[in-house]
Amino acid sequence: MKQTILAIAHLSSLSLVTILTWYRPAIAANPEHLRQLLATKQCENCDLSGAGLVISNLAGANLRGANLTGANLSRANLSAADLTGADLSGASLFGANLTGAKLPGAIVMGTDLRNSYLGNADLTGVNLSTANLQGAVGIPLQLANYEQFYAWGVTAAERGIHQQAIDYFNQAIAIKPDYAGAYLARGVTRYQILDRQGAIKDAQIAEKLFTSQNNQNGLVTAQAFLKELQTPYTEKLDTGKPSFLNFVGSLGSLLLQFLPF
């Protein structure tokens, strides 16, 4: 079961590659439609399949019902753009700014939304189950479960992207307030960025939750972390005493053991 869960971070990428291959457009975008979009930002129901729109400024653009299958919109500015009913299957929106964008009914099968910005985006009726959301910011809570947010947090923490990891753990906790593992993971991540007080608070909450849930493994880990936090730095220099990371093995092994089943 753990091996299945550990594969979460890789499945999206593998699925994405498969779907992107399936949706690779056979023909290029309609050149007249492309010129119209860039000149006026008005291109409702346009054929922009396979269009190269990297870093394009399309803020407020009207792309209702547009065919954007396989289009490359990486790092494009689509803030407040209207993409209602647009087909974004297999498109790349890596790092795109979709803040406040309208996407009701949009098709995002295999869409690359990694590192995109989704704050205040209207995603009503959008099925994100096959989209790659790794690193996306502002994912509405109702569009993912706490397991997914935690898994994304683990991946971000292992990559050293600490604030992003904390944001994901925050979202996991918002959905499941008694998720002890998420508190512990957030505490360890805060410790990594020298937020000692925040780390202590999270570790104490995790300790209480693990106790109430009769999770002995989690309780022992939380107590070991608290001991680490409360040990003066000078004592840690004594190599004869085991450190917290010696106890858990590594940051990755610590966080992965609390991936939900």
Side-chain angles (χ1 to χ4, degrees):
M1 183 63 74
K2 276 191 176 182
Q3 291 179 338
T4 300
I5 297 172
L6 293 177
I8 290 176
H10 302 290
L11 286 178
S12 294
S13 297
L14 291 175
S15 299
L16 177 66
V17 172
T18 302
I19 297 170
L20 281 174
T21 301
W22 178 262
Y23 278 95
R24 191 178 299 279
I27 56 175
N30 182 311
E32 183 56 38
H33 290 179
L34 186 56
R35 283 192 292 270
Q36 176 183 329
L37 172 65
L38 296 176
T40 68
K41 294 188 180 180
Q42 299 293 317
C43 214
E44 189 169 344
N45 297 317
C46 282
D47 179 10
L48 298 165
S49 55
L53 293 163
V54 178
I55 318 180
S56 296
N57 181 9
L58 299 171
N62 177 10
L63 287 161
R64 293 176 66 91
N67 177 8
L68 288 157
T69 57
N72 191 346
L73 290 151
S74 298
R75 296 187 174 85
N77 181 4
L78 288 157
S79 59
D82 190 347
L83 289 152
T84 302
D87 190 347
L88 291 157
S89 300
S92 174
L93 284 98
F94 177 87
N97 182 5
L98 289 158
T99 304
K102 299 175 183 178
L103 292 106
I107 302 171
V108 292
M109 181 175 282
T111 304
D112 184 359
L113 286 162
R114 290 173 300 152
N115 296 348
S116 61
Y117 298 87
L118 298 169
N120 298 316
D122 183 355
L123 294 158
T124 304
V126 178
N127 182 357
L128 290 166
S129 62
T130 64
N132 190 340
L133 289 162
Q134 185 64 53
V137 176
I139 304 169
L141 294 181
Q142 68 271 23
L143 295 181
N145 55 42
Y146 71 92
E147 295 99 328
Q148 290 171 307
F149 280 121
Y150 184 85
W152 293 332
V154 170
T155 300
E158 287 185 304
R159 293 177 178 173
I161 312 173
H162 298 115
Q163 189 54 58
Q164 187 178 91
I166 290 171
D167 290 340
Y168 282 136
F169 294 139
N170 287 343
Q171 289 172 293
I173 291 168
I175 297 172
K176 187 174 175 59
D178 64 346
Y179 189 2
Y183 281 103
L184 183 60
R186 189 176 68 180
V188 172
T189 308
R190 283 176 165 169
Y191 184 48
Q192 297 293 104
I193 59 173
L194 306 180
D195 179 5
R196 193 180 191 83
Q197 292 306 311
I200 290 173
K201 182 178 179 180
D202 279 341
Q204 290 172 336
I205 294 173
E207 181 184 28
K208 290 179 181 178
L209 287 172
F210 282 132
T211 299
S212 66
Q213 294 163 10
N214 197 29
N215 185 329
Q216 189 60 32
N217 179 53
L219 177 59
V220 170
T221 305
Q223 289 175 338
F225 183 41
L226 278 169
K227 184 177 180 180
E228 168 80 4
L229 291 168
Q230 294 163 356
T231 302
Y233 179 74
T234 52
E235 289 189 30
K236 295 177 189 178
L237 296 178
D238 182 352
T239 57
K241 296 182 179 179
S243 69
F244 177 64
L245 287 181
N246 285 337
F247 174 74
V248 300
S250 69
L251 177 63
S253 62
L254 165 66
L255 300 184
L256 290 172
Q257 68 176 306
F258 296 114
L259 276 167
F261 296 115

